[in-house]
Amino acid sequence: MDTYIYVTDAPKDRNVRRTESIKLYGPEAFEGMRRAGALTAVCLDEVADLVRVGTPLSDINSFVIDFAKQHHARPATLGYEGYEYACCTSVNHVVCHGFPNAKKLRDGDIVNVDVALEVDGWYGDSSRMYSVGRPKRAAERLINIAHEAMMRGIEAVRPGARLGDIGFAIQHYATSERCSVVRDFCGHGIGQVFHDAPNILNFGRPNTGTELREGMIFTIEPMINIGNPEVKLLEDNWTAVTRDRSLSAQFEHSIGVTADGFEIFTLSPKCLHAPGVDLLISASE
Ligand code: MF3
Ligand code: CO
């Protein structure tokens, strides 16, 4: 049986922790999430300028550290379970949790940058795909499919729908495009806790699982592969790669369940959150 707890709006209450019951948040929490989500989105907007041929991934890490400092925020991944960086940078066949190390971006690479910022006790968590130089057709296609898969998951969100509906929407779409869904990682509850209950699986059956209620706050972050879904963990115990070394792509938004649907907290004010924006802009000029 799922249990839900109503969280009183106490933005500065630092005693909130991960629980197995699902937290339902009120309007003040949504305000806090809007601020944290917007800052995370602006950070990812600015990361776009760094993603060029020759940029070491560590430059992205330094940028996120400086950006957070400037805006009185804290990168949530820094020191999280022993993770030592302010973001994750996952290039090509890296599925997630790639280290922003000295490795340089190369022409044709695709990279996911995942940033989570804590602002006044609220967590914004989001990731996007960027392409370096000229992406290959297959890579571009995968990026579009991963974004659409996330959006189909988000669009399944409304009070009364169930977690299986989100997973099904993602899985059904990705597999209809002959891509596969990684099963080893999932989205999560978020709010005043970085990773909270419930797990948001990227596969499932319609009308199964936990029922969604107004006030729930969580991430949707599917990882989609061109090849097979299996992943393996590298020696560093963090970096997850596709076993068949096929390309992988991921997008992530932090969202809240509203009375009649959903609110996305991590939308870019410049509308840079979706792939293909550059193309659209140049087409309209
Ligand atoms: N931002 C990532 C997420 O989507 C965090 C990965 S866990 C970390 O949940 F330890 F690498 F930070
Ligand atoms: Co997340």
Side-chain angles (χ1 to χ4, degrees):
M1 240 333 249
D2 296 304
T3 56
Y4 302 83
I5 37 175
Y6 291 90
V7 176
T8 51
D9 288 314
K12 296 251 155 58
D13 181 358
R14 302 306 301 126
N15 296 319
V16 180
R17 18 192 108 126
R18 187 187 169 102
T19 51
E20 282 326 301
S21 10
I22 295 166
K23 299 183 182 78
L24 303 177
Y25 293 94
E28 265 189 60
F30 274 60
E31 263 310 314
M33 286 303 295
R34 278 180 204 124
R35 279 183 275 117
L39 193 68
T40 306
V42 170
C43 182
L44 288 175
D45 283 0
E46 297 194 10
V47 160
D49 298 330
L50 281 171
V51 179
R52 291 185 241 101
V53 175
T55 300
L57 296 171
S58 52
D59 280 12
I60 300 174
N61 187 56
S62 312
F63 171 77
V64 175
I65 291 174
D66 293 345
F67 180 93
K69 194 173 213 164
Q70 257 176 44
H71 294 89
H72 311 286
R74 189 183 69 85
T77 58
L78 208 54
Y80 179 83
E81 310 250 340
Y83 189 80
E84 293 176 354
Y85 304 94
C87 61
C88 304
T89 49
S90 304
V91 179
N92 296 336
H93 69 293
V94 178
V95 173
C96 63
H97 305 162
F99 291 166
N101 55 21
K103 194 180 129 81
K104 290 184 173 143
L105 290 169
R106 301 197 301 184
D107 188 33
D109 281 349
I110 58 169
V111 57
N112 173 280
V113 180
D114 190 333
V115 171
L117 294 179
E118 184 190 347
V119 181
D120 295 334
W122 297 98
Y123 289 86
D125 187 6
S126 184
S127 82
R128 297 181 202 159
M129 297 302 298
Y130 303 82
S131 8
V132 184
R134 267 186 316 199
K136 303 230 169 25
R137 279 270 278 273
E140 211 157 5
R141 177 174 176 272
L142 176 67
I143 289 175
N144 288 326
I145 291 167
H147 183 263
E148 180 66 18
M150 172 188 67
M151 290 312 299
R152 297 227 182 172
I154 292 174
E155 279 152 17
V157 172
R158 56 174 172 77
R162 298 172 75 173
L163 287 179
D165 299 322
I166 299 175
F168 176 77
I170 292 167
Q171 173 186 31
H172 176 76
Y173 170 72
T175 54
S176 77
E177 293 290 341
R178 302 179 311 282
C179 290
S180 68
V181 175
V182 172
R183 290 181 166 249
D184 306 71
F185 300 96
C186 59
H188 48 91
I190 194 167
Q192 288 181 302
V193 180
F194 183 21
H195 287 131
D196 210 343
N199 286 337
I200 312 294
L201 302 184
N202 299 308
F203 55 90
R205 282 177 294 118
N207 208 26
T208 63
T210 298
E211 191 182 300
L212 302 181
R213 298 213 186 153
E214 183 180 357
M216 283 175 70
I217 296 179
F218 52 86
T219 72
I220 297 188
E221 46 178 312
M223 299 161 201
I224 308 296
N225 299 348
I226 284 190
N228 296 320
E230 288 79 22
V231 306
K232 74 173 185 206
L233 217 52
L234 299 188
E235 304 273 78
D236 62 27
N237 270 317
W238 277 105
T239 313
V241 300
T242 54
R243 270 188 187 276
D244 61 8
R245 297 185 67 86
S246 70
L247 288 181
S248 186
Q250 178 184 27
F251 283 85
E252 173 179 22
H253 275 312
S254 298
I255 69 166
V257 183
T258 61
D260 57 358
F262 58 85
E263 174 173 348
I264 304 179
F265 298 120
T266 42
L267 288 177
S268 148
K270 289 193 196 159
C271 283
L272 292 175
H273 46 262
V277 173
D278 292 352
L279 294 175
L280 290 175
I281 290 168
S282 52
S284 66
E285 271 168 2

